[in-house]
Amino acid sequence: MGDAGWDDDDVAWLRALPVLGRCGKYLLMHSDTQDYLAWGSTVEEVNDTVARLLAGDDAQEHFDVFAGLTSRYGFLDDTEAARDVLDRLGGEHIVHGHSIIGSLVDRPSEQVEGPFAYADGLVLAIDGGRYDGGPLLLVEL
């Protein structure tokens, strides 16, 4: 990439990255949202659908994916929503970034010291809010 900027290979690589992953009992997702369920009923189906949508040239489809992947707070006051996502996509715990922990616990990011488990322990937030003065967290699952 360097000074030349992004080329077609870089964009193709990004478009092909999975938006969900499963590792043992953990369902890994970028954002704490139920919006993934609109793209499929399995991790593979969601990843395939998003890859297909991003491979096209439809700006509205690209925006819709962006909006879905940046939605947040889907599990904060809704344990049943977390259970529904896990029941449909698999896993025992959701692990997400995007919503910084400080915003989830209503305190400054500088006061964040580690990950935050919520929704009866079904969800683990791991974004310390580095851009907001919080820690860059490395979380061993």
Side-chain angles (χ1 to χ4, degrees):
M1 291 200 285
D3 295 315
W6 293 50
D7 63 24
D8 290 343
D9 289 339
D10 298 324
V11 173
W13 175 76
L14 280 173
R15 285 179 171 178
L17 289 174
V19 296
L20 288 176
R22 281 268 315 281
C23 184
K25 62 184 180 177
Y26 300 103
L27 176 63
L28 310 172
M29 56 178 57
H30 169 74
S31 184
D32 45 329
T33 180
Q34 300 173 62
D35 290 357
Y36 295 95
L37 299 176
W39 296 314
S41 57
T42 67
V43 168
E44 296 77 17
E45 202 173 279
V46 171
N47 287 333
D48 290 347
T49 299
V50 170
R52 180 183 49 75
L53 292 171
L54 294 179
D57 292 327
D58 187 315
Q60 184 61 53
E61 286 181 344
H62 291 187
F63 179 80
D64 291 345
V65 168
F66 171 79
L69 293 178
T70 58
S71 179
R72 58 179 81 216
Y73 308 126
F75 313 120
L76 188 56
D77 295 316
D78 195 346
T79 300
E80 289 307 311
R83 280 194 179 98
D84 184 45
V85 168
L86 290 166
D87 286 346
R88 291 179 60 188
L89 298 175
E92 297 175 28
H93 303 279
I94 293 169
V95 179
H96 73 81
H98 192 65
S99 293
I100 62 174
I101 295 166
S103 69
L104 294 169
V105 298
D106 196 27
R107 67 176 187 242
S109 291
E110 299 88 32
Q111 295 177 8
V112 170
E113 295 179 356
F116 172 61
Y118 65 103
D120 289 337
L122 296 175
V123 182
L124 184 67
I126 62 171
D127 190 334
R130 182 70 187 126
Y131 81 92
D132 190 41
L136 179 62
L137 298 177
L138 176 61
V139 180
E140 185 174 354
L141 299 175

